[in-house]
Amino acid sequence: MSLRVALSPAGLDPGTLDRQAVLMIDVFRASTTIVTALANGARAVIPVADKGEAGRLAATLDRDMSVMAGERGGQQLAGFALGNSPRSFTPEVVRGRTVVLTTTNGTAALVKARGAERLAVGALANATAATAFLAQALDDGLDVTLLCAGWEGHVALEDTLCAGLFVDRLASHPRATPTDDGARIASSLYRGAQADLARVLFVADHSKRLIEVGAGDDLSDCARIDVSDVLPVLRDSRIVAA
Amino acid sequence: MSLRVALSPAGLDPGTLDRQAVLMIDVFRASTTIVTALANGARAVIPVADKGEAGRLAATLDRDMSVMAGERGGQQLAGFALGNSPRSFTPEVVRGRTVVLTTTNGTAALVKARGAERLAVGALANATAATAFLAQALDDGLDVTLLCAGWEGHVALEDTLCAGLFVDRLASHPRATPTDDGARIASSLYRGAQADLARVLFVADHSKRLIEVGAGDDLSDCARIDVSDVLPVLRDSRIVAA
């Protein structure tokens, strides 16, 4: 049994997914967006890797019962009803509907990990629920990987910090060791930052990018810890509340 | 100008290499091995990505004036005179000779970065010389990337720590900011570990791997800081002492 942190999707070992519970982490913003959408009553979120696939999927769904959300480089894609800002996934917009979501990093990471034995979505927003998912997987004898979405193949400070928070919360779990270097790095980063987590989050590259594209308000939403007990899990290619 | 840390070769942007000074870091062991080989009088080290290329290159070199070194998975490759243990690159073996070197991670990282405007090799062993290389590049207006070799696509604790040491030593350089998330993570890791660097290095995944293959003695060699003032640099496809 192992507890590993892949600091970007490049670090995920696809050959071992059938023995793995994977928690995908994309704090800014896909993970937080998915938690928010399900908390606000969306029936499901379907993650798709590219725009074309989103369009083909939309054609098969009831228009009134679905919402298209697309983002690249931080900005809403043309022709999509929503972008990737958690605050636009309000109950009025998503309740009872299926959200088709394609984002720069988070949905690509989900698609890469979809062969996992169990796959869930973690953020600061649902930290306790996500930690419980991880603890249960360890209890059940599965290997666990925290999969940081990062930014276009690069590590992202906010995802690494969030992974470190999960490693820290699992520290007393008897099956949470040994961890790998990714887990050691994430855990060390979190321990150094926890006294002033928001400040550290807001110096991240991704924070600057979001501020530049006018999405700075999302940062404080995404930095809030434990505001939801929703655990998004993948079931039959759809992400639903567990 | 920027100071970035790619925590694995996946994080290197190949499109910007012509404006970059890259310092490749593979603490366990290729960087330390290259520094040691040049310090002990090797004329040059030629990094090659695969075994076949090493063989083809060897056929073009004077046998008495060259040494073949090859390692995969921590162990010496069959048919090679040396593996990747710094302590086998003694003056008796390497003085005046050209070393052809292929290793699991370090030489692959060097090959990926060989289009860089400037390319050098850094380790704890030559920390001051490597830092001077970085400072000079920043003075000259180049972007700087610290390229951690990692382990088969994964981040490695020891390379991240060493990169963090370099970021820390450059902290007062007027052109060393802004950095990226990789640099922030490496720097934070180093600051948390610097009081007991050896202990942290020796819990790394790679340490365990080396101990398993009987190369544990190399760890303490690779953990020594500033034992050499050699700066290995790439010149005409060969790594030579600057």
Side-chain angles (χ1 to χ4, degrees), chain A residues 2-5 23 127-128 130-139 144 146 163-177 179:
Chain A
S2 63
L3 172 64
R4 294 171 177 278
V5 175
L23 184 76
T128 295
T131 306
F133 164 81
L134 298 168
Q136 184 65 54
L138 290 165
D139 287 343
V144 165
L146 306 182
L165 179 148
F166 294 138
V167 174
D168 197 69
R169 288 197 176 186
L170 288 167
S172 63
H173 192 289
R175 292 178 169 175
T177 51
T179 55

Side-chain angles (χ1 to χ4, degrees), chain A residues 204-226:
Chain A
D205 289 336
H206 204 150
S207 295
K208 292 175 209 149
R209 260 182 241 116
L210 289 173
I211 291 165
E212 275 166 22
V213 301
D217 287 346
D218 290 346
L219 296 177
S220 47
D221 289 0
C222 295
R224 292 187 300 160
I225 296 179
D226 266 332

Side-chain angles (χ1 to χ4, degrees), chain A residues 27 67 96 105 120 145 153 191 218 235:
Chain A
V27 174
V67 185
N105 305 293
T145 296
R191 287 196 305 268
D218 290 346
R235 202 168 288 152

Side-chain angles (χ1 to χ4, degrees), chain B residues 57-199:
Chain B
L57 185 60
T60 71
L61 296 172
D62 180 339
R63 276 197 143 194
D64 294 338
M65 300 300 284
S66 59
V67 184
M68 303 295 293
E71 167 269 332
R72 285 296 179 278
Q75 295 187 282
Q76 183 171 331
L77 283 171
F80 284 70
L82 300 175
N84 192 16
S85 170
R87 56 179 58 192
S88 47
F89 291 71
T90 58
E92 294 69 33
V93 176
V94 301
R95 189 180 303 283
R97 295 199 168 88
T98 295
V99 178
V100 175
L101 178 68
T102 181
T103 75
T104 310
N105 305 292
T107 57
L110 283 168
V111 168
K112 184 169 182 189
R114 65 183 158 196
E117 172 70 20
R118 298 180 197 172
L119 178 56
V121 173
L124 297 171
N126 70 339
T128 295
T131 305
F133 164 81
L134 298 167
Q136 185 64 54
L138 289 165
D139 287 344
D140 294 343
L142 290 171
D143 291 331
V144 165
T145 295
L146 307 183
L147 172 60
C148 298
W151 179 267
E152 296 185 349
H154 297 78
V155 297
L157 192 69
E158 68 280 7
D159 298 340
T160 310
L161 268 175
C162 184
L165 179 147
F166 294 138
V167 173
D168 197 69
R169 288 198 176 185
L170 288 166
S172 63
H173 192 288
R175 292 178 169 175
T177 52
T179 55
D180 68 346
D181 283 356
R184 290 182 196 103
I185 291 168
S187 172
S188 164
L189 182 72
Y190 173 72
R191 287 196 306 268
Q194 62 179 321
D196 195 358
L197 204 59
R199 189 193 60 76

